[in-house]
Amino acid sequence: MNDYINSLKSQNKLNISIDKSIDFEWDYYKIAGPCSVEGPGIIDIANDLKKVGIDALRAGAYKPCTFPILEEKNGWKEGLRREGLDLLMQTKLETGIPIVTEVMDPRMIETVGEVADVFQIGTRNFQNYSLLDELGRCNTPVLLKRGTWATIDEILGACERILVGGNRKIAICLRGVVGAPSYRHVFPTIRWAPDLMMIPALKELTNIPVIYDPSHSTGYRNFVKPISSAALAAGADGLIVECHPDPDKSISDPAQAINYDALEEIFKGW
Ligand code: PEP
Ligand code: MN
């Protein structure tokens, strides 16, 4: 075991997340769907994506944005919120497809948990310890998205925070990190850098499943397939991909959304 990690272990700061004897329980490797729940069309999307072969549908009802959205537009203000959850419930009941959706606040765990088969913790809440602690005490799977700033030990630390509560159903979701300025003047929607090396680095230290997000890593749909292939080649266990029937019309994150055919292409090469 790595010296630095060993020193954290001996200080009792990291233990469970790097114990390779632990079996993590995780069932969702092919996750795709729109960034947000946009309306009742989510049910058709779920049925269509089921045919493409997903294990779970992603879609945010509560959508924190990097820049706060203050005005509601057609009921959408950082998500359809309660209405979005109701639509996800309907989707789940009609299609039987498991739902991955974000929970932003410990006070919402019960409500979101009525619908979510997997709680997504967003990047902005990566170190929201009251949320992590509470989810550690749940029995529902948790997909923890990496903070754009997080070092490898901070990733393990955030996982540990959930694991100590007893919840072993977790996966770490790698998405882009700070460091994309070298692309932005040419590809303006690219906000983050993929950091694919974190995949083998985590694999060397821990058994925690790694789900890679090629959409937020790239911010640009033409790069989603190559970065997906690269992530899988680097050892990622699964992918979470933003996919939309009419990508340019996505309410949130349109530039990185891909269509069904493109998702099928990604799954084909898997
Ligand atoms: C998302 O998955 O839609 C999302 C908001 O991602 P992140 O938390 O990684 O920014
Ligand atoms: Mn998004």
Side-chain angles (χ1 to χ4, degrees):
M1 178 61 69
N2 172 284
D3 287 347
Y4 177 72
I5 296 292
N6 259 341
S7 74
L8 293 175
K9 215 173 165 177
S10 65
Q11 294 168 62
N12 229 1
K13 286 187 176 161
L14 274 182
N15 200 357
I16 298 173
S17 61
I18 50 170
D19 187 338
K20 282 208 164 186
S21 66
I22 291 177
D23 287 327
F24 294 93
E25 297 166 48
W26 192 260
D27 296 323
Y28 309 100
Y29 300 101
K30 292 182 174 172
I31 308 169
C35 181
S36 303
V37 185
E38 300 182 353
I42 189 70
I43 299 168
D44 288 339
I45 295 177
N47 276 319
D48 292 340
L49 290 177
K50 205 169 155 182
K51 288 183 209 134
V52 182
I54 59 169
D55 300 327
L57 178 81
R58 63 141 293 143
Y62 294 89
K63 295 262 0 131
C65 297
T66 304
F67 298 104
I69 306 233
L70 301 176
E71 246 176 58
E72 187 170 303
K73 210 169 146 190
N74 301 325
W76 196 99
K77 181 172 172 273
E78 297 188 341
L80 288 180
R81 295 158 288 150
R82 179 70 247 183
E83 190 194 338
L85 278 188
D86 293 342
L87 287 167
L88 284 176
M89 181 55 107
Q90 215 180 321
T91 303
K92 178 166 148 152
L93 293 175
E94 287 190 27
T95 67
I97 207 132
I99 303 290
V100 180
T101 200
E102 180 158 351
V103 61
M104 292 171 58
D105 185 312
R107 292 167 299 187
M108 288 298 288
I109 289 176
E110 209 180 312
T111 308
V112 176
E114 284 166 17
V115 180
D117 296 281
V118 176
F119 285 120
Q120 177 174 324
I121 304 182
T123 290
R124 290 151 208 81
N125 277 312
F126 167 76
Q127 284 169 324
N128 179 339
Y129 289 148
S130 36
L131 187 58
L132 304 190
D133 289 346
E134 208 52 47
L135 291 175
R137 289 188 278 269
C138 293
N139 197 32
T140 303
V142 176
L143 184 66
L144 172 64
K145 296 197 84 173
R146 176 189 188 180
T148 55
W149 62 91
T151 58
I152 184 164
D153 45 327
E154 288 164 357
I155 294 174
L156 295 173
C159 291
E160 187 92 353
R161 198 79 199 201
I162 301 171
L163 293 167
V164 290
N167 191 347
R168 294 285 186 276
K169 298 175 183 168
I170 77 162
I172 180 77
C173 175
L174 297 178
R175 46 92 81 218
V177 296
V178 288
S182 44
Y183 301 88
R184 294 200 71 175
H185 54 301
V186 178
F187 301 101
T189 62
I190 294 181
R191 288 187 292 171
W192 316 107
D195 191 19
L196 292 161
M197 192 150 59
M198 190 56 83
I199 302 167
L202 282 170
K203 289 286 169 195
E204 186 156 322
L205 299 177
T206 173
N207 285 343
I208 298 172
V210 175
I211 306 297
Y212 196 81
D213 173 350
S215 310
H216 294 86
S217 295
T218 60
Y220 181 50
R221 78 171 60 100
N222 292 356
F223 294 174
V224 169
K225 182 167 187 272
I227 295 300
S228 295
S229 309
L232 292 169
D237 298 291
L239 298 174
I240 177 167
V241 186
E242 287 193 346
C243 182
H244 191 283
D246 191 351
D248 279 327
K249 295 219 173 81
S250 302
I251 290 183
S252 47
D253 289 340
Q256 68 199 30
I258 60 169
N259 61 23
Y260 298 157
D261 287 348
L263 186 68
E264 237 174 289
E265 281 298 310
I266 290 172
F267 286 177
K268 232 188 261 169
W270 196 321

